[in-house]
Every structure is written in C-alpha cells, then in structure tokens.
Amino acid sequence: MNPLESKRHTLAHLLAAAVTERYPNAKTTIGPAIDNGFYYDFDFSGGEKPGPDELVNLEKTMRELLTSWNEMTYIEVSEKDARDRFKENPFKQELIDEIVKSGEPITLYTAGGFTDLCRGGHAKNPSRDIARDSFSLERIAGAYWKGDETKPMLTRIYGIAFDTRKDLAIYRAQIAEAKKRDHRKLGKQLDLFTFSELVGSGLPLWTPKGATMRQELDNYVWELREKYGYQRVAIPHITKKELYEKSGHWQKFADELFRITTREGKEYALKPMNCPHHTQIFDRKPHSYKEMPQRYAETTMVYRDEQSGELGGLTRVLSITQDDSHVFCRHSQVKDEFFNIWDIVDNFYGTFGFKLRVRLSFHNPETPEKYLGTPEIWKNAEDALRDIAKERDADYFEAPGEAAMYGPKLDFMATDSLGREHQVATIQLDMNMPERFDLTCINEQGEKERIVMIHCAIMGSIERFSAVMLEHTNGNLPTWVAPVQVRILPISEKHAGYAKKVSSALADSRVRTEIDDADESLGKKIRKAKMEKTPYVLVVGDKEADDNTVSAESRDEGKLGAIKVEEFVAKIVSEIKLRT
Ligand SMILES: [Zn+2]
Ligand SMILES: [Zn+2]
C-alpha cells in the first residue's frame, strides 16, 4: 500500500469510529481505500440512520477524534476472542469465517479506543500523518453486503481524501470540469448518439454524425493495422450453445449471456465475444507453418446482459462495438506480434495526445477456480508478457487477479487531459482456447503443433473510447474525426450558389461539409456552429464570391480571414491526412 492509500484506509477506520460514536446501534462491516478516498459500509437497521445533512457533523467528529489517534496498535487474537468481541455483529462473523478459512492470522487494530477487524496498512501516526483539512465526506449510498443483491442492503458513506488541502481542491476542480465535459451532455450537443425508451437503456443509437465519427475512428485503426497483415473476417451475431460450451463461455459468462430459444427448442446465444467464432474460421482447414500467423480482425458488436442499475451513457452498455482482432500464431511468434500490436496502440493513442501506462493483468493463484488452464500454462504466459514489457522499456506494473479467465492481459491505461486514467486497449495472450478447440499448425517436421491466440482490441469498445475521447477533447474533436469538418454560412440567399460551389470543391477532396442556409442571422448561425464545435466555419458573401475566397474561422486557431478556396482546401486536406 502506498502512503496515500494507507491514509485513506486509516480514514475509513476513523469514519467507522465517528459513526459508532454518534450512532451506537450502527454495525460496522468493511471499509476500504478507493481511487479518490475511502468508504465504509454500515448496517443501521438497529436504530437511527444518518441523512446527507449529517455528513458535516460526522466529519467534525472525525476531526475531533483524529487529534487523539497517535498510533494504531494491533494484536493477533484467537478465533474465539474475535468472535466474542464482535458477537453482536453477523457481518464481522462472516468476515471471521473467511479469515479462518484462508488460514491467515486474525488481527485487530485499535486507535483512540476504536477497534476494528483488519489486515493492516495504516498511517503510522494518524494525527501527525493525516492533514485535518485533506479529507471530506461526500455522499451516502446504498450497497448490498458483499455486492450481492440477495444479501442485506447496507449504508455506504463515501469520503474523498488526498495528501493536502491543495490536492483536495485540485481534485474538486477536476470533478467540476469533468461534469461540464460529461460525454452524455457533449453527445447531445454534438448530436452523436441518442437513447430510446422503446429500444431500452444501455442500447445507444448512433445518429448520422455519430456513425461518421465511429467510422473514422475505425478506419484509422484499420489503416494502422494494414502493414501488419491483418485480414477482415465477418461472423453472425448468434451461435449455438455448443460453441460456448466448448469455449467455456456458457459456464463462465452464465449471467451475462443473452440467450435465445428457437421455436424448435434449440438454444442459441448472442455473442458476448468474438473469439470462439473466429477459432472456427481458423480451423476451417489445416495451416502450414508458412501461413502462420493468421491475423483476423473485425469491428462488430457483442452483447452482455449488465444489470440495468449499472447502465449510464456510453461507458456501460449492453451492445458493445469491439474493434476486435485475433492473431493465431506459434509460440515463437508471440513476441513479434505483441510488439506490432503495441506499435499500433502507441500510434493510435499518441494521435489523441493520451499518455499510456501498462498494467500486466495476471491471475490470482489463490483462486484457480476462476480460470481455465493449468498453473504451468499461466506461468509461461505471464513470464512471456513480463519479458516483452521489460524489453520494450515500458511504464508498467503488475496486477494479480486482473487477468481474463483464459489468459493474462496487457492493459493500457490512458491519462486524459483532466489527469484521469482510463483503461483502454488490451492485448491478451491465450493458451487455453487453442487447447479447447484443438487449434494447430503443421510444423517444419510435418507434425501438428499447438498454437496460441492473441486477442486485441485497439479502442477496446468504440462506445467507451468515444466517451473517453469526447471528455478528453471537451468535444473539440480533431478535424479528421469531426463528423462535420466545415460549415459554410452564406450571408444571404443570393450567395447560396457560391456556397454550393465551395462545398463541392471541398467534397471533391472528401472534406465533410454542411451549408447552413436557415433563415437566421449570421451571428446566430456562427454561435450554433461554435456550440457544435465545428472545426471550421466559412462565411461567404459578395466579396468572397467575386474573389473566389472564403472568410474562414478555425475553432482552434481563431479567425483566419479571407483565403482562396484552393488554399483552404489544401490546408484542411493536409490537416486531415496528417491527423494533426
Ligand atoms: Zn485497517
Ligand atoms: Zn477474443
């Protein structure tokens, strides 16, 4: 645990101490550190429960208690002692069950007279290490015990915490800015996507402008992939149950699968991923080692049944568009393929100005039942990924427990213009699916050789990437992505002909334009173009028509003044081509 995490974890204890002081009937449960602070879940069913207005008072009590928290002492206790101490608390009893089962020692931590069951990881001297004004309580929410909806509903109190008051203020300012930049708001403002109650939540509908934006992003990924030998494939969106039984998805994705029963009583499912289908394309015929690797790519939707409470905007959806690819290759080719994909990822995210960090998502050896494949397969795969990251001299860290069920992953984390980190592309090494589907190539000796698969989506999901990109750019989409790149505003009706001429000159060079010939004032039209964050606005009237020019204003560079039409075309074409 880093020092800030330890402080946040300590503050969770402090919150529990303040709550139990003010609400003696409250039962404590768990309280971890999180990304921006901490939370603690309480059971208030035995008495009075605090409302949002009470947070201020709880915060005050926390500050008062903090002054006497000079150290956190711990003792190891027997199971019986632990059970006696929390005999009124069924939640702690459950936690004790788990600790006993894991064989770990049971430890209790105490500060200022408040004791909690805990594994440790605290500030050494809370009153000295934690600044009084570096934290605050934010909100109250409901949360099921263990995140399980069949279990009791608890009350979760969230706090935010940073090292200093200044860091806390910076964080608040970022949150305020992020709210302004919410992709749901920008999506409406730029007319990119919409939702319909009839279609259902979590199922975004892309407008003509939104579809253009998606296509541009996807084209770019294809362009980057071109030199590495990727080929297009296409598959149906449903499959018989048997494919997923063989791949293991029927069991592992059980709750998230959209199932279909046909009128003949056959069981089908909507695909939650594309890999099983793609294996069947690879397996249509034997492959000589000379034909390896086979690189299949396809941009297509997958479907996952998420709980409706978790849906919101484009970040959690039921229909997910993946720019998916599967490389079928020999063990000896894994490194080169990873390097190539990594190059594509670097190029793609670099174009948008994201900074990347890499997470090596490994399996958790303590829960082998969550994964397919033997410990030996996992070790080989993880060692290979670590070697690649080292060789590439990447900014990386290891995360046990974050792997996919069929293999370790290399997850790219992008830092956006607000300093927030998002998980974006992933590259996954898979030694399990080729086993399950018995995928091989014929090697130099004429024998069958087991191959491996590499799964990779550059954008991950187009929905999620679009959300991240919109917030990162505040809707100021780079010209090459913008659905409308140029808006042409004729000053009056009699300039409509010239506006059309300018528009076709641009269209001939594949620049996307729109003529705004509404019966509105020029000022209003300019404001509208700015609202929609159109990269270029061209005003045309008598003077422009006579001189074969346009009066151009750039969203990013300001007023450009009068420019010859050919000159403007050349400028924007080069900007689009270079993706600057
Ligand atoms: Zn603790
Ligand atoms: Zn896959």
Side-chain angles (χ1 to χ4, degrees), residues 503-549:
S503 169
S504 4
L506 284 158
D508 285 347
S509 297
R510 310 199 62 179
V511 178
R512 295 183 290 271
T513 66
E514 226 175 53
I515 299 173
D516 186 351
D517 54 6
D519 271 333
E520 282 165 348
S521 72
L522 192 61
K524 197 162 177 193
K525 288 182 192 176
I526 290 174
R527 278 196 299 281
K528 192 172 163 234
K530 284 191 174 163
M531 262 286 285
E532 291 175 20
K533 307 192 182 236
T534 316
Y536 289 96
V537 175
L538 308 181
V539 176
V540 294
D542 285 335
K543 195 169 173 338
E544 286 80 12
D546 289 346
D547 302 348
N548 205 27
T549 60

Side-chain angles (χ1 to χ4, degrees), residues 243-458:
L243 179 71
Y244 288 155
E245 281 177 338
K246 189 149 189 179
S247 69
H249 291 102
W250 195 263
Q251 298 80 13
K252 292 278 173 183
F253 264 92
D255 294 338
E256 288 165 66
L257 270 187
F258 282 109
R259 292 149 198 255
I260 306 161
T261 307
T262 68
R263 57 189 158 169
E264 293 169 348
K266 288 186 189 147
E267 282 191 89
Y268 281 74
L270 277 171
K271 62 182 164 88
M273 35 179 46
N274 307 305
C275 354
H277 280 88
H278 285 181
T279 65
Q280 298 308 293
I281 300 177
F282 176 81
D283 206 25
R284 72 193 182 282
K285 59 169 191 182
H287 293 276
S288 144
Y289 69 93
K290 289 181 184 164
E291 298 170 297
M292 300 296 285
Q294 291 280 309
R295 306 178 189 88
Y296 300 156
E298 176 177 12
T299 301
T300 178
M301 277 193 193
V302 297
Y303 308 89
R304 293 181 193 167
D305 187 7
E306 307 259 4
Q307 288 176 5
S308 42
E310 295 168 355
L311 304 173
L314 295 179
T315 45
R316 274 194 105 87
V317 289
L318 305 179
S319 54
I320 306 154
T321 316
Q322 290 183 336
D323 55 334
D324 208 4
S325 70
H326 295 107
V327 176
F328 299 84
C329 66
R330 306 173 79 182
H331 283 269
S332 57
Q333 295 168 325
V334 164
K335 217 170 210 173
D336 282 346
E337 292 302 315
F338 261 78
F339 266 80
N340 294 347
I341 300 172
W342 202 321
D343 281 343
I344 297 171
V345 171
D346 269 348
N347 266 314
F348 184 82
Y349 288 92
T351 301
F352 292 93
F354 287 110
K355 230 182 80 200
L356 290 179
R357 193 159 78 101
V358 176
R359 177 173 74 193
L360 301 183
S361 298
F362 288 170
H363 79 303
N364 180 357
E366 285 166 26
T367 53
E369 70 280 3
K370 282 192 181 164
Y371 309 95
L372 305 172
T374 64
E376 196 198 342
I377 282 185
W378 279 89
K379 189 180 179 307
N380 289 340
E382 291 178 352
D383 287 349
L385 290 204
R386 192 182 293 111
D387 287 348
I388 290 162
K390 274 191 192 145
E391 200 161 314
R392 210 162 156 118
D393 204 13
D395 178 6
Y396 76 91
F397 65 100
E398 293 184 16
E402 293 288 335
M405 66 171 181
Y406 48 79
K409 301 186 291 174
L410 214 148
D411 293 317
F412 291 86
M413 324 284 288
T415 302
D416 72 11
S417 59
L418 294 180
R420 297 174 302 178
E421 201 171 54
H422 309 271
Q423 192 192 316
V424 285
T426 56
I427 316 178
Q428 311 184 359
L429 185 59
D430 181 356
M431 308 206 186
N432 285 302
M433 216 173 298
E435 289 284 339
R436 287 191 164 244
F437 287 104
D438 192 22
L439 304 181
T440 57
C441 69
I442 310 296
N443 67 16
E444 290 86 340
Q445 286 76 44
E447 300 156 345
K448 278 187 175 180
E449 178 185 301
R450 174 72 67 232
I451 58 152
V452 294
M453 271 173 87
I454 300 168
H455 310 249
C456 177
I458 305 297

Side-chain angles (χ1 to χ4, degrees), residues 25-162:
N25 286 315
K27 289 195 172 69
T28 54
T29 69
I30 51 160
I34 51 173
D35 265 359
N36 59 359
F38 57 93
Y39 69 76
Y40 204 108
D41 288 347
F42 301 94
D43 173 30
F44 289 104
S45 62
E48 201 199 337
K49 176 182 164 177
D53 298 344
E54 276 301 303
L55 293 182
V56 190
N57 294 326
L58 280 171
E59 215 179 282
K60 218 177 120 205
T61 308
M62 283 172 77
R63 295 211 168 88
E64 282 160 16
L65 293 175
L66 180 59
T67 52
S68 66
W69 282 34
N70 299 321
E71 60 175 339
M72 285 193 86
T73 55
Y74 85 100
I75 46 165
E76 203 179 309
V77 293
S78 68
E79 181 186 343
K80 188 182 171 302
D81 285 353
R83 292 205 187 276
D84 284 349
R85 179 176 276 274
F86 295 103
K87 62 176 177 295
E88 308 285 322
N89 188 327
F91 305 100
K92 294 290 186 193
Q93 296 293 336
E94 239 186 280
L95 295 174
I96 294 167
D97 293 343
E98 283 168 20
I99 303 172
V100 169
K101 208 178 131 203
S102 74
E104 280 176 58
I106 306 175
T107 48
L108 302 177
Y109 280 79
T110 301
F114 175 78
T115 299
D116 207 349
L117 187 66
C118 181
R119 282 199 179 88
H122 308 102
K124 270 211 177 67
N125 177 345
S127 65
R128 179 199 66 199
D129 300 338
I130 299 176
R132 285 169 52 85
D133 51 10
S134 66
F135 64 91
S136 84
L137 296 181
E138 289 297 291
R139 62 193 178 94
I140 301 185
Y144 290 109
W145 170 236
K146 301 261 160 182
D148 181 341
E149 61 200 293
T150 64
K151 301 207 159 143
M153 172 69 94
L154 304 172
T155 302
R156 177 170 296 178
I157 302 181
Y158 282 100
I160 54 175
F162 288 84

Side-chain angles (χ1 to χ4, degrees), residues 189-203:
Q189 193 176 327
L190 274 63
D191 191 22
L192 299 173
F193 55 87
T194 184
F195 290 90
S196 149
E197 259 180 50
L198 281 176
V199 177
S201 58
L203 296 166

